[in-house]
Amino acid sequence: MLVSGIAFTTLYLLAHFGITTERGRQEQELRTDVSQAALARLSRLEAELNANVFLANGMVAHIVAQNGIVGDGADRALQALHQYGRHIRNIGIAPDNRISKVYPPEGNQAAIGLYYPDVPSQWPSVKLAIETRSTVMAGPLTLRQGGAGVISRTPVFFADGRYWGVISIVLDLDSVLRSAGLVTEEQGISFALRGVDGKGADGAAFFGDDRLFGKGALFFDARVPGGTWQLAAMPSAGWRGDDTYLHALEGGAIAVSLALSFALFGYLRSRQRLAESEMRTAALINASLDAACLLTTEGVVLAANQALAARFQVARDDLIGKCIYDLMPEPVRQNRRDAVAAVVATRRPRHFPDQRDGLFLDNSIHPVDDGHGATAFIAVYSRDVTGHVTLQQRYFDKMQQLDAILACSSIGIALVKKREQIWCNQAMADIFGYAAGEMNGQSTRMLYPSDGDYELLGRTAYDTLLRGERFGIERQMRHKDGHLLWARMWGKLLSPDDPEAGSIWTFEDVSERKEAEAQSALAASVFHETSQGIIVTDPEGHILSVNEAFTRITGYSREEAVGQTPRLMKSNHQDRGFYENFWRKLTEEGRFEGELWNRRKDGEAFLVWQTVSAILDSAGKTLRYVALFSDVTDVRRDDQRIRHIAFHDALTDLPNRILLRDRLEHALATAGRSHSTVALMFLDLDGFKAVNDTLGHDVGDYVLKEVAARLVDVVRTTDTVSRLGGDEFVVLLENPNGRDEIIEIANRIITGINRPMVFGQKTAQVGTSIGIGIFPDDGDNAEALLGNADTAMYSAKKAGKNGYRFFGLA
C-alpha cells in the first residue's frame, strides 16, 4: 500500500515536476564536477608541498651522517636540493637555531646570523617543529625578496635524541598554486584557500575570493606539514538549483505522498550519487601514475590501478574485494588501519612518508564525501620516490668523497666562472679568513686590494688563459678582516675551447716566506739605523758586532768593543745577586729583560732598559746572544717626577685621595691579617670660609699649607696625612696604642691648628672638627671607614666645633 502510494505519487510528481528533477540532476552533476576538479587540485597541491619534506629529510640525513659538522659538503648538498626541488626560493640551515648558511646566497646574505628565538614572527613555527619533532609549515607570508611564500621547518635530531638545529625551505606560493592548477580558473570554477600557519578553517584566507567561505561553497581539507589548509570551490556563476518553489506545495495526501516519494527518491538518488562518485573517483585512480586505490572505510578495495597491482605483485582484478591490510606486512598493518580510521573520523586528509622493503614512498589518504557530511570511501595515493632519493643519496655520497679529497689539500682551490667563485674548498676559505661556503657565489673582487688591482690582473691573466696556458703570479691579496697577505696563485681554463665553462685556481699563502725575505732585508737596515744600541756576542760573551747607536750611547767605537765582553761597561751599581738572576733567566728562559746601570767611556753612569735574547740552532744549542738597550736615564727622572705629581696634592704636597686610598687599603689588609686596628681621622677646618672671604684666597692657600705642615709635625712618622680637597684632611693612624693614644693625637692636632697663623701683615686663626672611625668596629673596608669617620666629623661640628667625636659615640 505504502509502496503503491509512493509509486503513484512519484509518477504524479514526475509528470508535474519533471523539470525540477532535471534541475536536481544537473545540480548534482555540477557538484560532482566541482568536487572532482577540487580533489584533483587538492591532490596536486599536497604533492607539491609535501614533496619538499623528502628534500629536507635528505638534508637531515646528510647532517646526521656528518655528525652535525657543516662543511663544504653542506654547500653542495644545499645546491643539489635547490636544483632538484620545485618552487624553492631558498634553503637555510640553522645549527642551534642560528642561520649559518643560505642557498642561493644572492640576496639572502642578510639572513646569515639570524637567531630564530629573537624573531617573533618566525620563532613560534620553529619552536613547534622542535616540540613535535616533525616538519611544520608556516605562512603564507610576504617574503622580503618579494612575493608570497610558505616556509617548512624541519628539526634535526641525532639518534640519541640530541637536538642539532633546523632546516628551513622557503617555497614560492604562486609557483605552488600554479602547479596545482589553482591560479588559472578552469571549467568556470572559483577556488579559495584559507588556513594560514596550518590552522585550517580557523586560519585566515590567503588565496582567491574569501567570500566563497560564506556562500555555500564545497569545502575540502588539504593536509600540509604540521596542519591543514581548507580549499573552497564553487561554480563562478553560482549553483543552478533553486528549490524555494517547493514550499508552495501543501495539502493532505499530496503533501504526504510528496514527502514519501521524496524520501524514496532521495534514498535512490543518494545511492546513485554515491555510485557516480565511486565511479568518478575510480576513474581518477586509474588515470593516476601513482599507485592508487579506492577503499571502503573498512579497507576493502573497490578500485585499484595497475601501479598498485604491480606494487603488490598481483593482478589488478585480484585486488578488488580484498582487504588492503591483508596484503601488507604485519609490522605496518595496524599503523595503516589507525591512519585510515583517523581520516574517516576527522574527514581530514593525511599525508606521511614511508620507507620499507627498500622503497621510499610518499603516501596520502583522502576522504570521499557521501554528500551528507560523512565519509563514504577512502582514496589512497602512494608515490614511489625511491629513484629520486637514491639519486640524491648517490649525489651526496659522491660529494662527500670529493669533499674528503679536497679537505686534505692545504692548497686553496676555487672554481671560477665569469670571475665569480662558484665553489671553494675549506683551505681556500681558511687562507682568506671566511667561513665554509661563505665565498661561494661571490665575485673574486673581494680578494683584491682595489678595483685597479682586480681589473689589471683580469686583463693579464685571461690573456694567458685564453691561449690555453697556465697563469701564475705572486701578489698581495685581501683577507676578510682587511689585512693584506701574499698569495701564490695559479689558474687554468677547464676547457680552452669553452671559456664559459670556467677556470680552476689554486692559492697558497706565502706570506711567511715573503715576511722572512722582507725581515732579512730589514734586519740589516734596522741593525744600522735603529736608535737602540745593539750588541751581538758569541756563546762565551765575546762581542762580535755592535751598531752605530751603541757607539753613540756608550762612547766606545766598534773597534774598541769587538773582542771585549759587556763587562767593558760595568758600573758596579748591581750586586752579585742581580747577575746571578740575569744568567739564570737567560739560561732557563732564553731571555732577560730589565733595567741596569752601565758606565760610558767617559765614566758617567747611565740607566738602560735592556733586552738580551739567546739565538738557538735547530738542536737548541746557543749560537749567539743579542742585546738591545736604550738610555732611559732622563725618562726615569721624568717618570718619578710625574708619579709624584699624580699622587700628591699640588698645594700642600700631601698625599692625595688616590695615594690615601692605596695606603688605607694596604693598612686594612695588614691589620686584618695581624688582628690589629687602624684609626682614621676626618678633619674639616672651622672658620676657613671666613678667612677666604675677609683676608683673600692667598691667605687661604697659606693657611692650608700651614695646616698641612702642623699636621705632619704632630702625628707619628708612620702615619699618613692627606688632603682630600678644599679644607678637608684625613689622618691615617696604623696600629695606634689604644683609644688613649688616638685621643692624645686628636688633642695635639686641635691645639696645633688653633695657634694663630701670620701671613705678612695679616693674621688668621682657624679650628678643626675631627671625626674618628676605628677598624674593624666602625667599618671593615675603606669606603665604610671613610664614610663613618665623615659622619662622626659632622657630629663634632654640631656639638660646637673645634673638637672630636668617635663614630660609635656620634
Side-chain angles (χ1 to χ4, degrees):
M1 187 74 174
L2 175 61
V3 175
S4 298
I6 292 174
F8 172 80
T9 307
T10 300
L11 290 174
Y12 179 83
L13 290 173
L14 288 175
H16 289 83
F17 305 107
I19 296 175
T20 302
T21 304
E22 179 60 22
R23 286 182 178 177
R25 184 186 64 77
Q26 292 176 357
E27 177 78 6
Q28 184 56 41
E29 287 181 353
L30 181 57
R31 287 180 178 272
T32 301
D33 291 340
V34 171
S35 296
Q36 290 175 350
L39 284 172
R41 286 161 177 76
L42 201 66
S43 177
R44 291 204 298 271
L45 178 64
E46 288 185 341
E48 297 295 340
L49 289 173
N50 291 310
N52 292 284
V53 175
F54 283 95
L55 291 178
N57 288 341
M59 194 66 204
V60 170
H62 174 79
I63 292 172
V64 172
Q66 296 299 311
N67 199 27
I69 299 174
V70 179
D72 287 348
D75 296 314
R76 284 194 288 279
L78 290 175
Q79 185 176 3
L81 294 182
H82 186 266
Q83 176 183 350
Y84 289 130
R86 290 167 57 83
H87 321 299
I88 295 179
R89 292 286 291 269
N90 60 70
I91 310 171
I93 56 177
D96 296 321
N97 298 325
R98 188 180 298 280
I99 297 177
S100 65
K101 291 181 180 294
V102 179
Y103 189 89
E106 296 83 1
N108 298 301
Q109 293 89 343
I112 300 299
L114 183 145
Y115 186 51
Y116 283 130
D118 292 341
V119 185
S121 62
Q122 299 197 38
W123 174 237
S125 63
V126 176
K127 184 171 181 289
L128 180 61
I130 297 170
E131 292 173 348
T132 60
R133 295 198 172 200
S134 61
T135 300
V136 170
M137 189 80 76
L141 44 80
T142 301
L143 302 177
R144 293 183 180 179
Q145 303 91 335
V150 292
I151 308 177
S152 71
R153 315 282 195 189
T154 301
V156 180
F157 287 89
F158 292 109
D160 59 6
R162 287 180 296 121
Y163 172 66
W164 177 86
V166 67
I167 298 167
S168 296
I169 299 180
V170 180
L171 302 179
D172 187 313
L173 181 63
D174 290 339
S175 177
V176 171
L177 297 179
R178 195 161 36 250
S179 294
L182 289 168
V183 173
T184 303
E185 184 177 301
E186 296 179 4
Q187 302 172 354
I189 301 174
S190 296
F191 297 101
L193 281 169
R194 66 181 175 186
V196 171
D197 292 334
K199 294 181 180 179
D202 296 328
F206 57 86
F207 169 73
D209 186 351
D210 59 0
R211 291 177 296 177
L212 263 64
F213 294 103
K215 293 175 61 176
L218 300 180
F219 298 119
F220 305 87
D221 286 332
R223 187 71 174 175
V224 299
T228 60
W229 290 352
Q230 189 174 70
L231 175 69
M234 73 177 297
S236 302
W239 302 112
R240 297 170 184 164
D242 183 2
D243 56 4
T244 55
Y245 62 93
L246 294 177
H247 295 293
L249 298 176
E250 297 178 354
I254 294 178
V256 174
S257 298
L258 183 63
L260 291 174
S261 63
F262 265 89
L264 178 60
F265 179 78
Y267 171 77
L268 295 175
R269 189 56 185 154
S270 174
R271 296 294 299 175
Q272 181 182 354
R273 284 199 303 265
L274 201 57
E276 289 175 352
S277 176
E278 179 182 352
M279 180 179 65
R280 292 175 182 271
T281 304
L284 286 174
I285 287 172
N286 288 329
S288 174
L289 297 177
D290 299 329
C293 62
L294 182 67
L295 307 176
T296 67
T297 55
E298 290 77 24
V300 177
V301 179
L302 298 174
N305 65 359
Q306 187 57 43
L308 183 69
R311 177 81 57 80
F312 286 114
Q313 298 182 348
V314 296
R316 187 173 64 173
D317 292 343
D318 291 341
L319 286 173
I320 308 304
K322 296 284 183 64
C323 180
I324 193 71
Y325 309 122
D326 294 339
L327 304 174
M328 297 178 179
E330 181 63 35
V332 301
R333 289 180 185 174
Q334 190 56 46
N335 178 271
R336 299 300 180 267
R337 286 182 186 273
D338 294 342
V340 170
V343 171
V344 172
T346 63
R347 297 180 59 237
R348 292 175 179 268
R350 181 173 180 180
H351 176 91
F352 58 92
D354 188 15
Q355 179 183 356
R356 55 187 171 87
D357 300 330
L359 298 178
F360 291 88
L361 307 175
D362 182 12
N363 300 318
S364 59
I365 305 174
H366 300 268
V368 179
D369 194 87
D370 65 354
H372 298 288
T375 300
F377 310 109
I378 297 294
V380 180
Y381 297 88
S382 179
R383 178 173 297 178
D384 185 352
V385 294
T386 305
H388 175 76
V389 174
T390 302
L391 179 62
Q392 189 180 78
Q393 188 59 51
R394 286 177 182 173
Y395 178 84
F396 287 152
D397 292 343
K398 290 295 183 184
M399 289 301 99
Q400 288 175 2
Q401 293 172 11
L402 182 59
D403 284 344
I405 294 172
L406 297 178
C408 293
S409 173
S410 60
I411 304 296
I413 303 173
L415 171 62
V416 176
K417 288 185 179 181
K418 296 181 180 179
R419 304 200 78 180
E420 178 182 310
Q421 297 157 133
I422 303 302
W423 171 87
C424 304
N425 71 342
Q426 185 62 51
M428 177 77 171
D430 292 341
I431 289 172
F432 291 98
Y434 290 89
E438 189 177 356
M439 301 176 73
N440 295 348
Q442 302 295 319
S443 168
T444 56
R445 169 64 184 86
M446 67 194 299
L447 305 177
Y448 295 90
S450 68
D451 290 339
D453 291 319
Y454 172 71
E455 293 167 1
L456 177 61
L457 188 128
R459 291 194 300 270
T460 306
Y462 282 92
D463 284 346
T464 302
L465 296 178
L466 291 172
R467 293 196 300 268
E469 300 173 8
R470 186 174 67 153
F471 174 82
I473 193 174
E474 282 186 2
R475 61 158 297 114
Q476 282 191 306
M477 307 192 81
R478 184 173 296 279
H479 191 275
K480 181 181 181 181
D481 62 14
H483 82 265
L484 300 182
L485 59 89
W486 278 95
R488 177 65 173 168
M489 52 190 294
W490 292 95
K492 198 172 191 310
L493 290 178
L494 290 174
S495 171
D497 298 328
D498 183 14
E500 297 296 320
S503 54
I504 287 289
W505 290 83
T506 62
F507 296 81
E508 182 180 4
D509 187 350
V510 295
S511 300
E512 291 186 5
R513 175 171 62 78
K514 282 287 186 179
E515 181 67 17
E517 292 173 354
Q519 290 296 329
S520 179
L522 181 63
S525 175
V526 169
F527 184 81
H528 294 290
E529 301 298 331
T530 184
S531 62
Q532 287 185 302
I534 301 177
I535 305 172
V536 181
T537 76
D538 62 16
E540 287 71 38
H542 297 100
I543 298 175
L544 300 176
S545 180
V546 296
N547 68 345
E548 294 177 9
F550 170 88
T551 297
R552 185 173 62 254
I553 294 171
T554 67
Y556 290 101
S557 67
R558 181 181 183 281
E559 291 74 18
E560 290 173 319
V562 172
Q564 299 292 328
T565 69
R567 287 192 293 273
L568 177 71
M569 299 174 290
K570 188 175 181 181
S571 66
N572 294 319
H573 278 56
Q574 284 81 220
D575 58 16
R576 183 173 180 175
F578 172 86
Y579 289 104
E580 288 177 350
N581 180 60
F582 170 87
W583 283 108
R584 180 182 59 79
K585 282 185 170 292
L586 197 57
T587 303
E588 295 178 359
E589 302 175 14
R591 179 183 175 87
F592 170 83
E593 188 173 17
E595 288 182 341
L596 73 155
W597 286 92
N598 278 338
R599 192 174 299 280
R600 306 186 208 275
K601 183 179 179 179
D602 62 7
E604 179 190 4
F606 65 101
L607 183 67
V608 300
W609 180 266
Q610 179 167 283
T611 301
V612 183
S613 301
I615 308 301
L616 309 179
D617 62 13
S618 58
K621 182 180 178 181
T622 300
L623 290 177
R624 298 283 188 272
Y625 289 111
V626 177
L628 286 79
F629 64 91
S630 300
D631 185 349
V632 296
T633 309
D634 293 337
V635 174
R636 178 60 65 225
R637 291 193 188 103
D638 291 342
D639 181 62
Q640 290 172 348
R641 181 175 60 83
I642 292 170
R643 285 181 59 83
H644 184 83
I645 292 174
F647 294 110
H648 289 79
D649 177 51
L651 178 66
T652 64
D653 204 37
L654 291 176
N656 61 13
R657 184 185 297 270
I658 298 173
L659 185 54
L660 171 67
R661 174 60 65 89
D662 182 69
R663 291 185 180 180
L664 176 56
E665 290 180 348
H666 180 269
L668 294 180
T670 301
R673 291 192 297 269
S674 62
H675 304 290
S676 57
T677 60
V678 172
L680 193 71
M681 295 182 173
F682 201 107
L683 287 71
D684 187 83
L685 300 182
D686 298 329
F688 179 74
K689 185 176 184 301
V691 171
N692 263 340
D693 293 343
T694 59
L695 301 180
H697 289 286
D698 289 343
V699 175
D701 288 347
Y702 167 76
V703 168
L704 293 175
K705 289 191 284 186
E706 182 64 21
V707 167
R710 293 182 183 184
L711 286 174
V712 172
D713 286 342
V714 301
V715 300
R716 303 173 305 176
T717 57
T718 58
D719 299 331
T720 296
V721 178
S722 170
R723 182 189 176 210
L724 297 186
D727 60 346
E728 293 183 337
F729 295 82
V730 170
V731 177
L732 171 63
L733 307 177
E734 296 191 45
N735 195 22
N737 188 18
R739 190 177 288 250
D740 291 340
E741 185 177 24
I742 297 172
I743 294 173
E744 179 186 348
I745 294 173
N747 286 325
R748 289 206 306 264
I749 291 174
I750 293 171
T751 300
I753 292 178
N754 282 342
R755 295 199 314 270
M757 303 176 191
V758 179
F759 181 70
Q761 301 299 318
K762 300 176 181 179
T763 300
Q765 187 170 12
V766 297
T768 183
S769 297
I770 305 173
I772 305 171
I774 300 176
F775 170 86
D777 296 338
D778 300 333
D780 59 359
N781 59 70
E783 287 292 339
L785 202 58
L786 275 168
N788 292 336
D790 186 26
T791 300
M793 182 271 292
Y794 279 106
S795 178
K797 278 188 177 291
K798 290 180 181 179
K801 301 183 180 179
N802 207 35
Y804 63 85
R805 284 288 185 275
F806 286 91
F807 173 72
L809 302 176

